[in-house]
Amino acid sequence: MKLSGTHKFNASSVQVFNAILNPEVLKASIPGANSVRYENPNTLYVEITTSLPGLRGPYGLSLNIVRRQDPSDLELQLLRQGKGGSINAVAQISLVDEADGALLTYNGNAELEGPIAIASNPLGQGIVKSSLSSFFKNLEKNIA
């Protein structure tokens, strides 16, 4: 499953970048997030409940910060195997300051196996895209 797109923020790239890596902001921004904390300096642990049919959770996810160049580039990787199936996902995020805020561009690819593969079908993709849209709107509101 591939996801890509952009989102314009009414904040600087530094503010957006810092918000993306702030556990409190992420918990308030990720739809279904029960908790977010750092396991170590390069890994965020997210406990999430999904709206995908048959996959409510909660599920624990370790999100690895593979590459980081403050405040413009970030690469995140999610590897998970267990209840609900397996996920091998990578996302590249870039931020560019423009005259009226920061433009975030994202490109992601996820290999899904088992029950979680429902996210690749049209129904699941609609839920994923809606959740992603909600995340960006929530993140915009929670940037201080």
Side-chain angles (χ1 to χ4, degrees):
M1 179 169 84
K2 294 184 186 281
L3 291 169
S4 62
T6 61
H7 184 84
K8 180 69 177 224
F9 287 90
N10 293 318
S12 71
S13 61
V14 171
Q15 290 172 299
V16 176
F17 192 91
N18 290 336
I20 290 171
L21 297 175
N22 180 318
E24 291 176 25
V25 173
L26 286 175
K27 182 180 180 229
S29 301
I30 297 171
N34 303 322
S35 66
V36 179
R37 63 177 166 76
Y38 274 97
E39 288 185 319
N40 63 54
N42 293 315
T43 305
L44 281 160
Y45 179 81
V46 180
E47 185 184 277
I48 192 165
T49 302
T50 77
S51 58
L52 289 167
L55 294 168
R56 301 277 183 237
Y59 296 99
L61 308 171
S62 291
L63 192 59
N64 299 307
I65 302 167
V66 177
R67 186 176 45 80
R68 173 180 179 165
Q69 185 173 349
D70 299 37
S72 59
D73 291 299
L74 192 60
E75 183 174 336
L76 304 172
Q77 181 180 39
L78 173 64
L79 294 171
R80 183 183 189 286
Q81 190 164 356
K83 183 178 118 183
S86 66
I87 303 169
N88 181 358
V90 176
Q92 289 89 26
I93 300 167
S94 65
L95 287 156
V96 176
D97 280 316
E98 296 183 343
D100 54 350
L103 180 66
L104 180 145
T105 302
Y106 63 91
N107 287 296
N109 186 41
E111 296 174 16
L112 309 172
E113 294 182 3
I116 190 64
I118 191 173
S120 294
N121 75 28
L123 172 67
Q125 283 184 359
I127 293 170
V128 169
K129 288 177 183 176
S130 175
S131 294
L132 191 57
S133 176
S134 293
F135 167 73
F136 285 128
K137 288 175 187 168
N138 293 342
L139 187 61
E140 179 84 47
K141 283 190 277 184
N142 291 308
I143 291 175

